[in-house]
Amino acid sequence: MMEVIVRGGTQEENESLRKLTEDTLKDSGLGKKQRKVIIAIDIGIPAFYMAVRFKSDVEPIILDNIATIREQSNKMKIQINQERYYDQVIEKLWSIYGKDMVEQSERNIVYLNKKDDDIKSIVIYDLTEEIRERTIDILWGILPEGFKVRHFKHFDDGFILVATDVPQMKEFYNTIGALEQEIRG
Amino acid sequence: MFKIYVFKGGIYRHDEVIEEIEDLGGIILQKMPMQTEIDIVFALEEPDIEHLEKLTKKLRGEVIDIPFGDMEIAIVAPSLSRHHLPHPVCDLSEFLRRYGSTTNIIGLARGYGKTIFQISDKEKRIISEHDAAIFSYGMFEECILIKEKEVRDFTIPYVLCGGPSRIDGIRNYIGDIGRKPGRMKSSEDIKTLERVKNLLLEMVEKKREDISNDPLMLPPVYVKRALEDELGLEGTLGDNPIVLHLDGVRVKKPFNDLSIKVADSIIGGHRLGDIARITRSNMNDTIIVKMRTKSEMGVGA
């Protein structure tokens, strides 16, 4: 169950923001994907710190999971077995090896014009990254609008965000460090 | 002073209601027939309403007071973003429209933030053209206290809405609004909206009293009807080219096109330009007509 903690304001303000955060994340379908959310308010500066940790219960999908890969005369033959990933596989191979090195002979068969054993472990789709992007998008609706000076610190299964309407200060980074320790346990 | 009412009843014999209203010196503003029912929005002097109610009771209809029917109210949001729209700003707007008001939602260019917040002079002039204003702010007391300082100088009646249920030291404040994730439809939310309406009503009554102590040269409803007839500006359900204010009207047509015709209109034996101030609005280039009072014109009460 998602845990949302808000601190730094009055009890009423904290509860109000906590409820807004919970309702907004649940309505967007991201409630079940979050392990913990901590919001720390420093209204004096003013600054909002938000620490989010996702539930990382889904492994990223690598090429080996969805394709049959064989060496064939100094090339790698990749036969994609799941139609929904055709576009993503090609896009990923282009981004890593360049368009010149990738040939699509049939709809589900792609040749890489070089030998590379690491190709099997290329990440094709990572749900965690999608959750990260969608959570950040939702956060813009939760955080006060005027706090447009923003700084992120990302880690594998979450991130810390500081939002403020003044130029960034050294104090922010100390608080970010403390929050990271708290949320990662 | 004229007040706005709506008659709700059957379409059968509704013409008698219209005749009675006109005999009592009232003005029909809008008729909305719906198969066997009809809603008639009209203006009538308050003491005359009980005469009308004798007839409407006989016809099994009802007359409902719509207290903001002759007002244009500004609902001011810090910006037009998802933080403020549609909840709670549109909820406030819809609720006041149920009581007859014409509402305009005004999004400030830089009404958000704490240190960067401002209301520009032009925005203040636009808001001041309305009969009243509702300011919808966020959930933090410290921010609301800072933003309240900018709002204190308004001379129109206003209500400040925010999240904290109570803030000491600021007037005209209603709490439990602030940021809302969804529509304000629970019973507590409706009670909160009622509190906003009641506070606004209380403040507007004072303004109405001032107007009745020093009456206007002509009632705004009369001016509206006369302008509609003279300039051919009859409205429809979806379009209301002349909006009532407590002390005048707003003609929602370009100033350059119609201001001279509006000023030259003869209403109640007077040239309108002589008994009213006609100015260009700061909002959408419309025409503001502010009636002068009898004391200003040196006419006996």
Side-chain angles (χ1 to χ4, degrees), chain A residues 66-80:
Chain A
I66 53 158
T68 311
I69 304 168
R70 273 204 298 270
E71 254 185 70
Q72 195 173 305
S73 344
N74 280 335
K75 290 185 182 183
M76 305 294 289
K77 180 183 176 188
I78 302 148
Q79 184 169 345
I80 309 165

Side-chain angles (χ1 to χ4, degrees), chain A:
Chain A
M1 195 59 203
M2 170 177 65
E3 193 187 352
V4 179
I5 300 167
V6 180
R7 55 178 184 244
T10 63
Q11 197 183 356
E12 199 177 2
E13 289 167 358
N14 293 341
E15 177 54 28
S16 193
L17 186 55
R18 190 197 65 75
K19 189 162 187 326
L20 177 72
T21 306
E22 232 176 56
D23 288 349
T24 308
L25 284 170
K26 278 182 189 165
D27 289 345
S28 66
L30 289 171
K32 287 183 184 169
K33 308 290 184 200
Q34 315 298 331
R35 192 193 302 270
K36 196 172 185 179
V37 177
I38 301 174
I39 303 177
I41 306 166
D42 185 344
I43 205 73
I45 294 178
F48 275 74
Y49 304 88
M50 208 159 193
V52 179
R53 194 164 168 215
F54 315 127
K55 284 183 188 166
S56 43
D57 47 7
V58 178
E59 293 293 320
I61 292 172
I62 59 175
L63 191 56
D64 202 31
N65 298 145
I66 53 158
T68 311
I69 304 168
R70 273 204 298 270
E71 254 185 70
Q72 195 173 305
S73 344
N74 280 335
K75 290 185 182 183
M76 305 294 289
K77 180 183 176 188
I78 302 148
Q79 184 169 345
I80 309 165
N81 302 324
Q82 290 189 39
E83 189 177 348
R84 64 179 286 196
Y85 296 110
Y86 288 174
D87 294 339
Q88 282 150 301
V89 167
I90 290 168
E91 201 183 323
K92 200 74 183 197
L93 292 175
W94 278 352
S95 69
I96 296 171
Y97 299 103
K99 285 185 182 178
D100 296 339
M101 296 293 283
V102 178
E103 266 176 57
Q104 187 179 11
S105 64
E106 286 176 44
R107 201 160 163 258
N108 67 327
I109 296 177
V110 180
Y111 286 92
L112 177 68
N113 295 336
K114 66 181 252 186
K115 252 184 73 178
D116 189 350
D117 291 326
D118 293 336
I119 199 175
K120 291 182 181 178
S121 55
I122 290 175
V123 173
I124 300 301
Y125 173 70
D126 190 352
L127 181 63
T128 305
E129 286 313 302
E130 188 183 315
I131 292 169
R132 188 190 302 273
E133 277 173 29
R134 284 175 58 200
T135 305
I136 291 170
D137 189 50
I138 291 294
L139 282 190
W140 302 145
I142 296 172
L143 289 169
E145 189 191 355
F147 289 55
K148 293 187 187 290
V149 177
R150 291 159 183 167
H151 173 79
F152 277 94
K153 184 174 183 186
H154 290 280
F155 43 89
D156 289 341
D157 58 348
F159 58 86
I160 316 269
L161 161 70
V162 59
T164 177
D165 71 355
V166 296
Q168 288 194 19
M169 297 151 65
K170 282 185 195 152
E171 286 84 346
F172 296 160
Y173 303 107
N174 296 337
T175 312
I176 287 171
L179 269 175
E180 188 180 355
Q181 278 188 354
E182 186 184 344
I183 200 154
R184 294 181 88 175

Side-chain angles (χ1 to χ4, degrees), chain B:
Chain B
M1 192 177 171
F2 277 87
K3 285 186 86 175
I4 313 295
Y5 302 90
V6 62
F7 164 78
K8 287 180 179 284
I11 205 133
Y12 177 59
R13 293 172 71 184
H14 79 275
D15 48 326
E16 291 179 37
V17 175
I18 291 175
E19 228 175 89
E20 180 75 2
I21 291 168
E22 287 172 347
D23 288 346
L24 290 167
I27 296 169
I28 304 293
L29 295 172
Q30 198 172 48
K31 283 187 284 191
M32 287 170 288
M34 291 159 285
Q35 295 194 334
T36 58
E37 306 279 319
I38 189 164
D39 286 358
I40 302 170
V41 181
F42 62 95
L44 196 63
E45 296 265 10
E46 199 179 350
D48 296 332
I49 200 66
E50 50 177 277
H51 296 286
L52 181 68
E53 276 174 338
K54 285 180 191 156
L55 171 64
T56 57
K57 222 171 173 173
K58 242 198 300 182
L59 299 177
R60 302 278 193 270
E62 59 173 333
V63 171
I64 302 166
D65 177 14
I66 43 174
F68 300 133
D70 53 354
M71 292 175 61
E72 197 178 28
I73 299 177
I75 317 285
V76 183
S79 72
L80 295 177
S81 67
R82 58 179 160 168
H83 294 75
H84 313 111
L85 271 70
H87 316 297
V89 168
C90 293
D91 298 331
L92 283 163
S93 176
E94 186 214 8
F95 194 77
L96 291 175
R97 285 205 308 273
R98 287 165 189 256
Y99 293 93
S101 161
T102 301
T103 56
N104 292 321
I105 292 179
I106 296 174
L108 302 175
R110 224 171 68 188
Y112 44 72
K114 189 186 169 198
T115 59
I116 61 173
F117 161 79
Q118 70 164 23
I119 305 181
S120 68
D121 281 341
K122 184 170 181 185
E123 285 166 343
K124 286 181 182 172
R125 288 198 300 272
I126 289 174
I127 295 167
S128 298
E129 286 176 6
H130 293 77
D131 292 304
I134 312 271
F135 292 89
S136 175
Y137 287 144
M139 56 172 78
F140 295 102
E141 180 173 330
E142 208 170 304
C143 284
I144 295 172
L145 284 169
I146 287 172
K147 294 180 184 186
E148 189 263 344
K149 289 178 188 156
E150 285 284 321
V151 150
R152 264 182 218 165
D153 296 333
F154 279 100
T155 53
I156 59 169
Y158 68 85
V159 174
L160 208 66
C161 299
S165 52
R166 208 188 124 92
I167 300 181
D168 292 326
I170 61 176
R171 54 193 180 100
N172 310 341
Y173 177 75
I174 299 285
D176 300 321
I177 299 182
R179 295 278 312 276
K180 294 281 180 187
R183 195 168 168 199
M184 292 179 70
K185 57 182 179 181
S186 69
S187 55
E188 292 86 20
D189 287 336
I190 301 292
K191 280 185 192 151
T192 306
L193 291 170
E194 284 280 337
R195 282 167 50 212
V196 173
K197 173 210 125 204
N198 291 337
L199 180 58
L200 192 64
L201 205 54
E202 206 179 288
M203 300 172 69
V204 164
E205 279 308 314
K206 286 193 193 131
K207 195 169 174 184
R208 285 188 198 277
E209 216 179 287
D210 292 341
I211 291 173
S212 64
N213 288 339
D214 186 8
L216 303 169
M217 282 299 291
L218 289 171
V221 279
Y222 189 52
V223 172
K224 173 178 154 84
R225 174 41 47 92
L227 282 175
E228 280 172 352
D229 291 340
E230 185 145 339
L231 303 175
L233 290 176
E234 199 72 44
T236 61
L237 271 182
D239 167 40
N240 188 8
I242 302 182
V243 170
L244 286 170
H245 287 179
L246 287 173
D247 56 0
V249 296
R250 179 196 296 271
V251 180
K252 287 157 82 168
K253 295 290 175 192
F255 185 84
N256 290 342
D257 293 353
L258 270 187
S259 59
I260 295 172
K261 282 187 186 164
V262 167
D264 290 341
S265 301
I266 304 295
I267 303 175
H270 299 279
R271 182 181 166 273
L272 188 59
D274 297 336
I275 58 168
R277 276 182 215 90
I278 295 171
T279 53
R280 185 194 298 268
S281 167
N282 289 280
M283 193 167 85
N284 299 337
D285 196 34
T286 49
I287 304 166
I288 299 278
V289 178
K290 286 268 180 240
M291 299 305 301
R292 294 180 195 272
T293 62
K294 287 185 177 176
S295 64
E296 262 184 278
M297 299 296 298
V299 172

